[in-house]
Amino acid sequence: MTTNVPVIDSHAAAPQAGRKNFLNCSQGFWSWAGTLDHKRIGIMYLVGVSIALLAGGLFALLVRLHLWKPEGVLFGNVEYNQIFTLHGAFMVFLFVIPAIPGSLGNIVLPLMLGAKDVALPRLNLLSFYLWVTGAVLATLAIVLGGFDTGWTFYAPYSLYTDQAVVTIGLAVFVLGFSSIFTGLNFIVTTHKLRAPGMTWFRMPLFVWAIYATSILQVLATPVLGITVLLVAFERLYHIGIFDPRLGGDPVLFEHFFWFYSHPAVYIMVLPAFGIISELVSVHSRKPLFGYKLIAFSSLAIAIISFLVWGHHMFTSGQSTYAMFAFSFLTFFVAIPTAIKEFSWVATVWKGSIALNSPMLYTLAFLVIFAIGGLTGVILGALNVDIHLHDTYFVVAHFHYVMMGSIALAFFAGLHHWWPKIFGVIYDETLAKIACGIIFVGFNATFIPQFIMGSRGMPRRYATYVPEYEPFHQASTVGAMVLGGGVALMVFYLVASLFQRKTAMQNQWGGVTLDWLSPTPPPLENFDEPPTVTTEVYDYSTLDYKTMQTPVA
Amino acid sequence: MFHLPIQDPASATQTPAPPPVVDAYGQLTKRASTFGHVDDLFYFTYAVCIFFFVLIVAVLLFSVVKYRRRTWDQPAASNTTHNTPLEVVWTVIPLIIVMIMFAWGYMGARDMTIAPIEASRNTIKATAKQWNWTFSYPNDPAQSYNEVWVEVGRPVQFLLESTDVLHAFYLPSMRVKRDVIPGRYQTVWFEPTEVGEYHLFCAEYCGKDHSQMYAKVHVVSAAEYGARPWDKWDDSTPEAAAKSGASLYSQICASCHSVNGSAGVGPTWKGLFVKNADGSIVGRQREVIEGGVRKTITIDNDYIVESIRKPDAKKVAEEPYVRNAMTAFPDLDDRKINGLIEYMKSLADSK
Amino acid sequence: MSHDGHHSVVIPAPGPEFVPHTVAHHFDTPVQEFQAAKLGFWLFLATEILLFGGLFAAYFYFHEAYPETFRVGGHQLDWRLGALNTSVLLLSSWTMAMGVRSAQTSQKQKTLLFCGLTVLGAVIFMVIKFFEYQAKNEHGLVVFSELFAPYDAATGSIPWFKDYHGVMAGLPHGHLFFAIYLTMTAIHGLHVVIGAGLILWIMKGAAKGRFHAGYFLPVDLVGLYWHLVDLIWIFLFPLLYLVP
Amino acid sequence: MSAHDHHAPGDLQMGHHHVSSAKLFFNVLMALLVLTVVTVAASRVDFGAANMLIAMGIASVKAALVIAYFMHVKWDTAINKIVFLSSFLFLSLLFIFTLADHATRRWDNDLHTMRTPVDKQWVYRQHEHAGDH
C-alpha cells in the first residue's frame, strides 16, 4: 500500500552496519527514565505491565490453589478475599487497561501514521509516571493491610470495611488519569500527525481501534475518577450519597461505577481487536475483509458501550423499565462484534496463511473470542442473566474476553512486533509450544467454570459446597498449565534479547508504514518523512526482498 | 470439611443440602420451580452459540489446512476486500436472532419480577446480615435461621431486607436471584414444584464470610408445612432454653463472641454472670459508654436485650470493643433472647 | 537529538520586548503544533466536564429523593454572597478573555494587567468563599474541625453536622445537602486555586515576552481552563443558592 | 482535521486566528451580569416545578455565551467543537439513565406495595433498626 520511496530504496541497498536506532542512540538510566521518545516510553510500559501481569497471575494461581478443596487450602476468608481483590485490581487497572495502548499502541501507532512521535510527548511520559505512581500506591495499599472490596468497590461494603480502601481509591484515580492522558494523546496524534496521503480510510485498523478506545478513555474514565473520590470522601467525611445509613443509595454507586466500567471493557478489548485485525491480514497476506465495516464497528462499539452499563445490574434492584432499556441496547453490541469476528474469518478464507507463532496466537484468539463473545449473548438475555449473574459462568465469560482474548491478542501483538521493536527474533519452536500450552491450559481453566457457574456456583467464594469440587480441581489444574505456558513465553522472549538472533527488516511481510520504517526504527521513526500513495493492506506492493534482508 | 453455619437448633452439626440433580441436557441443575423460560431461553441461546461456534471453527480449520502458506512468498488465493450481500446477511441475521432473545428474555424477567397475588399473600421475610439469613413467616412469631421452609406447588414471595451491606438472595434450583439492598425492600417470588432440599447462596460479595452465608431451603408438602417445622425452639425448662440458646449462639454469635474468655471481635460471654454461694446467679458490673458518657452498670436482662437489639446504645468501654460495631438483631424475638440469656447464665462461674 | 531529516521551525518575535518561539521537533509547522495542543486541551476540558458531571448527577439524584432537605438547606446559604461570587467570576472571565486578546495582539503590558486582574478575581472569590464557609462553621452546618472525625453508629449522627435539631430538624438526612454543597464547592475551589496558579505562571512567561501574536498558545489554553471554572460555577450558583 | 493540515503555507504564524473585538467581550460580560440578575430575580418567584427548569435554562444561556465567545468556540475548528460538545452529550447519558432508573423505580414500588402488605404481616418487627432516624 503505502510507498515510501526513500525507505524502499534503503532496503534495496545493502544495510549500513551499526545503524543508529532508538535503542542504541543513547545510553544510561536517564536516557530512558527521562525519554520523550514514544518507543522507549512504550518499552517502559511493556516492562511495567508485564510485571503487573505476572503479579496478577501469581494472585490468580493462589486463588486457584486455595479453591482445590471445598473448605479452602491456603488462607482464611479475609486473606482469600484480599487475594482475589488484588488479582482483579492488578489485572484490570494495572494490566489490561494500559497494556495494549500503553505499550504496543505507544510504539506502533506513530509508526503506522508515519509520525515522528506522538503529538504530546511530555504528556506521554507523564502518563507513564502516573501509571508508576498508581502501581506504587496499589502496592502501598497492600503494605497498609490490603483491601478486600473486590475490584468493583461496591458500596456500602467498601465504606465500612476496615482496610486500605482510600489508598487503593487514590491509586485508581491516578491510574485513571494515566489512561485519560494516553487516550487524549492518541486522539490528537491521529488527528494531527498523519503522514501526507494518510487519509482516514488508509489508516490501519489498529489505529482505528486505538482511536475508538481513546474516545472511551477520555469520556468514561473521569466518571470513575469522581466515583472513587466520592468513595474516599464517604470514608473520610461521610457525605452520605452511597451510604444507606445516611440516606444514600448503593445502586447509585453501581450506576456511576458501571458508567465507566462497562465502556472500560471496550477500552480493554478494542485494542485487542485492532491487533487481531492487523495480524489476520499480514499473516494471511490478504486485504482485510470489510475494512470500512470493521472501522465503523469499532466506533459503533465505542458509542453503544455507553448505553448498556445497566446490564451489570440486572439483579441489583434498578427499575424494570431500566432493565428493559439496558437489555435491549445490550444486544446491539453483539452486532458490531459479530461483524468483526466474521470479517476476520472471511479474511483468513483464501488467504496465504503463515502458521508462525503470531498467527497461532491469533487463531487461538479467534476461537477463544468466539466463545467469550457468544457466552456474552447468553448473559444479555434478562431472565437467563438473573440466574447466571454473579456466578462462575460470568467469571468464565469475562475471562474468555479479558484473559483469553485480550491477553492472547497482547501476546500475539508482542510476537508480531517483537522483531520490529528489538530487531531480534525469539525461538519460534518454543513459541509455538507455549501457544499450544496456553490455549489448552486456558480452556481447561475456564470451561469447568462455565459448567459450575450454570449450576449455581457464586463468584468470590472462599469456600464452597462440596458438589463443585471436581470442577474447581479441573480448573486449578488448567490454571497451573496456563501459568506454565505464560512462564515459558516470558522465558523465551527474554532469552531472545540475549541470544540476539537477528530478525529480518520486514519479518512477516507487512505493508503498513510500521513495517516500512527501518528496523528497529531510528529516533524519529523514518529516515525521510513518508508519503502515502496506495490503499491500506495492498499486498501487491509488498517488497519480498525486505523479508530476506536481516536488520543491520 | 466445608464449614457451614449450623442450621438446626436441635442438632450440633448440619450438612448442606444434597447436590441437586442435573437436568436432561446435563448443563443446568434440575429446575424445581415454574420458571421454565429461563431453561428454554438458555438452551435456545446455547444452541445458537454452538451453531455459530462450529461454523467459525470449521471455516478457520478448513482455511488453515487448505490455504496454508506453502512457500514463503506465496500470495493469497484471493484478494477480495468485501462482499456487500454477505456483510448485510451477517449483520441482519444476528440482529434478528438477538431481538428474539431480547423479547423472550424480557418477558421472562417480567414474569420473575412481578409476583402474582397468591405469592404476595404468602410472603416470607428474609433478613440478610453479615453473614446469615433470618426468615420470618407471616403471622407467626417463630423465626428460622439459615434454613427456610416453603410449600410445594404454592407460589411464595420473599421480602428481602439487609441490615448492613449488599447481599443477594440466590436459589439456583429455582432460577431466582435478587440483590438485597440496605435501606430498601426488594422482593422475589417463585413457585416450587418439587419436594426436596435446595441451596440458598449469597451471590453479592459481602465481606469476610460471604462464602459461608448459606441457607438451606426445604420444599415440603402442605401437610408438613402446616406443622410449622421452623418452630423448633424448646424452652420448656431453663435447661432446655439454655441448650436452645447454645445452638443459636453457635449459629449467629460465635463468630464474634467467645464463651471461654478469649478475646474476639466482641467481648467474651464468659463471666457475664457469676454464681453466688447460695446458687443464685447475678450479673457483674461493667464499664460502658452511653451517649459518650462513661458509666458503670450491672449486667441484667434488660442490658442484654438492648445489647442485642441496639448494640451501639451502650458500648463496652474497653479496646477494641468500644470501636467495633456489632450487627443489630432487632428482629430477634423474646423467646430466643431468653434462651441466649439462659445460656449466658449457664456459663456463670462460682465466685 | 538532531537528525538529518530534522528541521526546527522558529517563529520570530514581533518586537524587541518579545522572544522567538521554537516549534517542537516532531511538528512540521506551527499550525500543527497549535492545533494539536488545542485539541488535546479541549479533550482535557471534556474530561473535566464529565468529572464534575458525576457530582451534578448526584446532586440531581438526591434533589429528587429529598426535595425538602434541599429546599431548607438551600435557604441556609447566603444567595447574596453567591451572587457576588458569580459576578466576581464573570468579571474575571472577562479579564481573562481580554488577557488572551492582548496576547494575540502582542500587547505585553495589557496581557500582564488583565492576567493580574484575573488572579485578583480568584483571590476575591476565595476570600468570599472563606467567609461563607466560616458562617457554615459557626452555624454548625459544616463544622470543619470535626470534618474527619469518625461516624458515630450508635446515634447515627455525623460529627461535622450539628444541626439535627436546628433549622434542619425533622428533615430526612439534613446533612446531605451540606455534604454535597461542601464537596462541589471545595472541588470547584480547588480548580480556582489551580487556575490562579496557572495564570501566575503565564504572567511569568508574559513578563519575559514569550507570548505574542506569533505564539500565544499557553495563554489561550490557560484562558480556556479559567473559563471552564467559570462555566461550572454558572451552574453551581443557581443549583445550590437559588433553586432549592 | 484533514490530513492536509501540514500543507498549510509555510507561514510562521500559528495559522489564522479570530481576534474578537474588546467591545464584543464587554457586551458579553454585560449580558452575563444581566442574566445573573435575572436568575436571582426569577428565584424570588415560585414557579413550582418549573423553578429548576428556569434556573437551568438561564444558566445554559450564560454557559453558551461563555463557551461561544469567551472560549472562542464560535470560531474554533469543527473537531474542537465536536469534542467539547460531545462531553455534554455523554454526560447527558449518565444523567438520563441514572435519573430515569430512579424515577421509574417508584412505578415498580407502587406495583409491589400494592401487592405486598409489608408492615401488617410481621408481628415481631417491634424495634426500629439502630441508626434509623
Side-chain angles (χ1 to χ4, degrees):
Chain A
M1 70 147 220
T2 54
T3 319
N4 169 358
V5 177
V7 174
I8 299 292
D9 284 351
S10 82
H11 286 312
Q16 311 150 275
R19 194 179 56 80
K20 284 273 185 200
N21 60 44
F22 79 100
L23 292 167
N24 62 16
C25 65
S26 58
Q27 258 103 43
F29 176 76
W30 288 109
S31 79
W32 282 86
T35 186
L36 296 180
D37 178 54
H38 67 99
K39 301 177 287 298
R40 286 195 166 193
I41 294 173
I43 287 176
M44 293 197 291
Y45 257 119
L46 182 59
V47 173
V49 298
S50 301
I51 293 170
L53 170 68
L54 295 180
L58 184 69
F59 296 135
L61 291 182
L62 289 174
V63 164
R64 286 305 338 152
L65 279 175
H66 174 76
L67 294 175
W68 183 258
K69 285 282 174 198
E71 68 275 17
V73 179
L74 296 177
F75 315 107
N77 289 354
V78 175
E79 293 75 26
Y80 173 84
N81 294 343
Q82 291 181 333
I83 294 283
F84 86 68
T85 302
L86 281 175
H87 167 65
F90 267 60
M91 283 299 199
V92 170
F93 294 115
L94 289 170
F95 173 67
V96 189
I97 289 175
I100 298 177
S103 63
L104 294 174
N106 239 325
I107 297 170
V108 176
L109 182 114
L111 284 169
M112 281 184 161
L113 292 172
K116 290 176 190 163
D117 204 322
V118 293
L120 309 162
R122 281 193 195 88
L123 192 67
N124 200 14
L125 188 64
L126 176 66
S127 297
F128 174 69
Y129 281 113
L130 285 177
W131 183 90
V132 173
T133 311
V136 169
L137 282 171
T139 316
L140 185 68
I142 304 178
V143 177
L144 291 177
F147 45 102
D148 66 343
T149 58
W151 78 276
T152 48
F153 306 110
Y154 264 23
Y157 183 69
S158 60
L159 309 179
Y160 303 159
T161 181
D162 184 20
Q163 304 209 1
V165 178
V166 175
T167 314
I168 188 66
L170 205 58
V172 171
F173 184 80
V174 170
L175 288 169
F177 271 89
S178 165
S179 176
I180 287 173
F181 290 147
T182 303
L184 188 157
N185 220 333
F186 289 162
I187 292 180
V188 179
T189 308
T190 310
H191 272 283
K192 301 298 178 192
L193 292 189
R194 279 172 285 131
M198 176 66 81
T199 60
W200 282 89
F201 291 111
R202 283 178 177 170
M203 295 195 315
L205 282 165
F206 182 62
V207 178
W208 270 103
I210 292 281
Y211 181 74
T213 307
S214 304
I215 293 174
L216 293 177
Q217 285 176 310
V218 168
L219 290 175
T221 317
V223 177
L224 174 76
I226 195 69
T227 309
V228 292
L229 270 193
L230 286 171
V231 167
F233 291 165
E234 283 272 6
R235 290 181 66 93
L236 293 172
Y237 66 85
H238 318 288
I239 305 180
I241 66 175
F242 298 143
D243 189 340
R245 296 179 308 190
L246 308 178
D249 185 356
V251 179
L252 181 68
F253 174 86
E254 295 177 35
H255 276 302
F256 278 15
F257 182 79
W258 290 112
F259 180 83
Y260 165 74
S261 293
H262 190 74
V265 171
Y266 296 96
I267 291 177
M268 303 172 204
V269 82
L270 278 172
F273 291 167
I275 287 180
I276 296 305
S277 299
E278 289 302 312
L279 267 61
V280 162
S281 170
V282 172
H283 297 285
S284 303
R285 197 167 285 161
K286 186 164 169 267
L288 206 71
F289 190 91
Y291 169 92
K292 282 196 180 177
L293 210 52
I294 295 191
F296 285 130
S297 69
S298 290
L299 290 181
I301 288 176
I303 305 299
I304 299 172
S305 71
F306 275 97
L307 304 169
V308 302
W309 79 80
H311 69 218
H312 296 266
M313 302 161 58
F314 281 160
T315 68
S316 75
Q318 62 179 342
S319 80
T320 28
Y321 305 89
M323 281 162 73
F324 177 89
F326 281 128
S327 174
F328 181 71
L329 293 163
T330 293
F331 278 109
F332 282 96
V333 183
I335 305 306
T337 315
I339 288 172
K340 281 180 186 284
E341 177 85 20
F342 291 145
S343 301
W344 292 325
V345 173
T347 307
V348 174
W349 175 263
K350 290 198 175 177
S352 163
I353 302 158
L355 289 177
N356 48 38
S357 50
M359 188 58 172
L360 286 181
Y361 278 106
T362 305
L363 291 170
F365 169 95
L366 290 177
V367 172
I368 285 176
F369 182 68
I371 299 177
L374 289 166
T375 50
V377 176
I378 298 181
L379 289 169
L382 267 171
N383 62 349
V384 179
D385 184 75
I386 288 175
H387 174 54
L388 295 175
H389 177 80
D390 267 345
T391 66
Y392 266 69
F393 193 92
V394 175
V395 174
H397 158 69
F398 72 70
H399 277 89
Y400 263 85
V401 179
M402 306 258 168
M403 165 68 206
S405 306
I406 299 169
L408 272 186
F410 176 63
F411 297 161
L414 207 53
H415 285 76
H416 181 75
W417 280 296
W418 193 266
K420 179 77 212 176
I421 299 168
F422 297 107
V424 297
I425 188 77
Y426 42 81
D427 187 326
E428 185 71 13
T429 319
L430 279 182
K432 288 175 182 169
I433 294 171
C435 178
I437 295 175
I438 290 174
F439 183 76
V440 171
F442 178 82
N443 285 298
T445 309
F446 293 105
I447 285 176
Q449 297 193 3
F450 274 127
I451 300 171
M452 65 177 150
S454 57
R455 291 184 191 176
M457 170 74 206
R459 65 192 284 205
R460 296 176 167 178
Y461 262 29
T463 56
Y464 52 89
V465 290
E467 69 202 62
Y468 299 116
E469 187 174 1
F471 301 111
H472 275 293
Q473 293 189 345
S475 184
T476 302
V477 171
M480 296 300 136
V481 175
L482 176 58
V486 174
L488 178 61
M489 186 193 76
V490 173
F491 164 73
Y492 69 72
L493 283 179
V494 173
S496 76
L497 296 177
F498 296 98
Q499 292 162 343
R500 305 221 62 85
K501 191 176 155 212
T502 309
M504 300 298 151
Q505 284 286 351
N506 186 350
Q507 182 76 25
W508 317 110
V511 290
T512 40
L513 276 183
D514 49 328
W515 291 105
L516 299 182
S517 74
T519 302
L523 201 59
E524 290 193 343
N525 294 345
F526 296 89
D527 291 336
E528 288 296 325
T531 303
V532 183
T533 54
T534 55
E535 294 310 313
V536 68
Y537 304 126
D538 181 355
Y539 288 90
S540 65
T541 64
L542 174 60
D543 179 359
Y544 284 94
K545 271 183 305 209
T546 59
M547 292 181 71
Q548 288 180 303
T549 317
V551 300
Chain B
M1 237 345 266
F2 173 65
H3 163 77
L4 284 176
I6 301 155
Q7 275 99 40
D8 184 358
S11 63
T13 56
Q14 181 74 26
T15 49
V21 187
V22 176
D23 71 357
Y25 298 97
Q27 175 82 17
L28 300 168
T29 46
K30 191 156 177 293
R31 181 167 41 82
S33 75
T34 51
F35 294 137
H37 48 75
V38 176
D39 298 28
D40 297 345
L41 183 54
F42 178 80
Y43 284 116
F44 171 74
T45 322
Y46 208 80
V48 170
C49 290
I50 287 175
F51 169 77
F52 279 106
F53 180 69
V54 169
L55 185 74
I56 288 167
V57 172
V59 174
L60 275 181
L61 275 180
F62 177 81
S63 307
V64 166
V65 173
K66 175 102 191 281
Y67 304 110
R68 191 163 28 99
R69 194 179 291 177
R70 290 179 173 81
T71 57
W72 70 275
D73 54 354
Q74 175 186 328
S78 153
N79 272 319
T80 323
T81 56
H82 63 282
N83 179 335
T84 309
L86 184 63
E87 290 173 56
V88 170
V89 165
W90 74 38
T91 306
V92 172
I93 289 185
L95 188 64
I96 294 170
I97 295 174
V98 296
M99 283 302 106
I100 294 171
M101 292 173 186
F102 160 71
W104 194 341
Y106 177 69
M107 288 188 298
R110 217 179 140 67
D111 177 28
M112 294 164 90
T113 312
I114 299 172
I117 199 76
E118 311 86 75
S120 305
R121 291 198 179 118
N122 180 27
T123 299
I124 297 174
K125 187 168 77 169
T127 307
K129 50 173 77 92
Q130 288 171 325
W131 294 275
N132 53 60
W133 297 94
T134 306
F135 299 95
S136 315
Y137 300 82
N139 300 316
D140 192 318
Q143 292 171 317
S144 61
Y145 302 95
N146 298 326
E147 202 172 17
V148 63
W149 281 261
V150 294
E151 192 181 326
V152 71
R154 181 175 171 202
V156 59
Q157 175 173 268
F158 280 85
L159 184 75
L160 310 172
E161 78 170 355
S162 165
T163 60
D164 37 43
V165 299
L166 293 178
H167 303 278
F169 180 93
Y170 179 32
L171 262 161
S173 297
M174 308 298 168
R175 310 285 188 257
V176 294
K177 184 183 290 118
R178 193 78 172 158
D179 285 13
V180 191
I181 300 175
R184 180 174 153 195
Y185 288 114
Q186 295 263 69
T187 59
V188 70
W189 82 277
F190 58 91
E191 181 184 333
T193 53
E194 302 229 4
V195 170
E197 294 179 342
Y198 302 97
H199 300 309
L200 193 169
F201 295 123
C202 172
E204 188 66 76
Y205 177 66
C206 58
K208 175 171 159 272
D209 288 339
H210 167 53
S211 63
Q212 272 131 290
M213 191 165 158
Y214 174 90
K216 187 152 61 172
V217 180
H218 301 264
V219 177
V220 294
S221 66
E224 239 180 296
Y225 188 82
R228 298 172 63 244
W230 52 88
D231 188 11
K232 294 179 190 166
W233 194 258
D234 180 6
D235 53 2
S236 47
T237 62
E239 291 72 28
K243 188 162 174 284
S244 299
S247 52
L248 182 61
Y249 160 81
S250 61
Q251 291 167 56
I252 59 176
C253 316
S255 54
C256 301
H257 300 275
S258 78
V259 288
N260 60 8
S262 62
V265 180
T268 182
W269 286 5
K270 186 181 167 68
L272 289 177
F273 293 91
V274 280
K275 193 180 271 178
N276 285 332
D278 62 357
S280 66
I281 295 177
V282 294
R284 269 185 206 233
Q285 306 275 302
R286 170 175 266 184
E287 295 268 295
V288 296
I289 292 181
E290 182 177 20
V293 183
R294 194 186 185 95
K295 53 177 78 161
T296 305
I297 53 133
T298 306
I299 293 173
D300 56 13
N301 288 13
D302 289 345
Y303 166 70
I304 289 173
V305 170
E306 186 185 48
S307 297
I308 291 172
R309 289 189 177 147
K310 285 195 165 188
D312 293 319
K314 294 191 181 71
K315 305 217 62 156
V316 177
E318 196 182 317
E319 285 289 332
Y321 313 126
V322 71
R323 278 186 294 117
N324 290 351
M326 174 180 150
T327 309
F329 290 85
D331 287 347
L332 204 62
D333 64 60
D334 295 343
R335 286 172 71 196
K336 300 244 160 58
I337 292 181
N338 282 335
L340 288 174
I341 292 173
E342 288 301 328
Y343 177 54
M344 288 173 192
K345 288 182 175 168
S346 75
L347 298 170
D349 294 326
S350 302
K351 233 177 193 169
Chain C
M1 298 285 272
S2 98
H3 192 267
D4 45 8
H6 178 62
H7 51 285
S8 291
V9 182
V10 177
I11 305 177
E17 73 271 38
F18 294 107
V19 292
H21 169 70
T22 309
V23 174
H25 72 99
H26 59 288
F27 292 114
D28 294 330
T29 64
V31 182
Q32 196 184 23
E33 180 182 52
F34 178 82
Q35 292 192 343
K38 194 135 183 197
L39 175 58
F41 206 78
W42 277 115
L43 285 161
F44 174 69
L45 293 187
T47 70
E48 286 275 11
I49 294 282
L50 282 151
L51 191 96
F52 271 97
L55 292 172
F56 279 102
Y59 173 92
F60 286 118
Y61 196 88
F62 290 104
H63 185 273
E64 177 86 6
Y66 308 114
E68 266 306 281
T69 304
F70 275 63
R71 194 181 65 75
V72 180
H75 286 159
Q76 308 312 311
L77 304 186
D78 190 342
W79 67 267
R80 286 176 223 88
L81 288 183
L84 184 61
N85 251 348
T86 308
S87 311
V88 169
L89 266 197
L90 289 175
L91 273 166
S92 78
S93 215
W94 173 72
T95 55
M96 192 68 225
M98 292 301 288
V100 175
R101 187 179 178 277
S102 313
Q104 283 176 327
T105 49
S106 302
Q107 291 168 290
K108 186 172 165 178
Q109 298 308 326
K110 274 184 137 183
T111 310
L112 282 170
L113 173 71
F114 280 118
C115 284
L117 285 174
T118 313
V119 174
L120 185 66
V123 171
I124 295 173
F125 181 90
M126 290 313 288
V127 167
I128 295 174
K129 191 98 271 176
F130 172 78
F131 284 117
E132 236 192 285
Y133 279 169
Q134 204 182 33
K136 299 293 150 303
N137 195 32
E138 275 166 19
H139 296 146
L141 295 169
V142 183
V143 179
F144 285 88
S145 58
E146 291 185 53
L147 194 57
F148 300 118
Y151 169 73
D152 183 358
T155 58
S157 56
I158 293 169
W160 55 259
F161 185 71
K162 304 289 184 200
D163 196 57
Y164 284 109
H165 304 292
V167 283
M168 305 298 284
L171 292 168
H173 310 293
H175 71 283
L176 200 54
F177 175 80
F178 297 98
I180 289 178
Y181 158 79
L182 176 69
T183 308
M184 289 178 108
T185 52
I187 294 183
H188 178 262
L190 183 69
H191 280 75
V192 172
V193 173
I194 293 173
L198 287 173
I199 298 167
L200 286 174
W201 171 70
I202 285 297
M203 287 171 72
K204 196 175 150 209
K208 289 183 190 154
R210 282 181 51 212
F211 309 124
H212 43 75
Y215 181 72
F216 55 86
L217 176 64
V219 192
D220 203 8
L221 300 188
V222 170
L224 289 180
Y225 186 85
W226 190 254
H227 296 311
L228 184 90
V229 171
D230 185 29
L231 200 63
I232 290 162
W233 185 259
I234 284 177
F235 285 98
L236 279 183
F237 168 56
L239 284 182
L240 294 173
Y241 295 79
L242 302 180
V243 168
Chain D
M1 63 183 281
S2 97
H4 298 283
D5 287 344
H6 318 307
H7 296 309
D11 64 344
L12 294 180
Q13 301 293 309
M14 298 193 299
H16 297 287
H17 293 285
H18 182 272
V19 179
S20 306
S21 70
K23 187 158 181 280
L24 175 69
F25 279 153
F26 186 74
N27 290 342
V28 172
L29 173 67
M30 285 302 127
L32 288 170
L33 291 174
V34 167
L35 283 169
T36 305
V37 174
V38 170
T39 189
V40 170
S43 76
R44 316 312 291 170
V45 187
D46 190 6
F47 297 100
N51 280 346
M52 177 70 94
L53 281 179
I54 291 169
M56 286 296 96
I58 297 173
S60 301
V61 173
K62 287 167 78 179
L65 285 173
V66 172
I67 292 170
Y69 296 102
F70 283 176
M71 296 174 98
H72 255 123
V73 165
K74 196 175 168 191
W75 299 280
D76 215 325
T77 56
I79 180 66
N80 290 355
K81 285 179 193 166
I82 292 171
V83 164
F84 194 56
L85 297 181
S86 68
S87 71
F88 291 97
L89 180 74
F90 281 87
L91 188 59
S92 68
L93 294 179
L94 176 67
F95 282 17
I96 289 168
F97 279 97
T98 308
L99 298 176
D101 169 35
H102 188 251
T104 54
R105 236 182 262 162
R106 198 182 311 142
W107 304 346
D108 272 357
N109 288 347
D110 291 347
L111 212 58
H112 285 299
T113 40
M114 190 178 69
R115 292 178 177 222
T116 313
V118 174
D119 290 324
K120 290 174 195 147
Q121 298 219 3
W122 288 280
V123 287
Y124 274 84
R125 201 185 142 72
Q126 320 107 310
H127 297 275
E128 281 215 347
H129 293 177
D132 276 5
H133 279 281

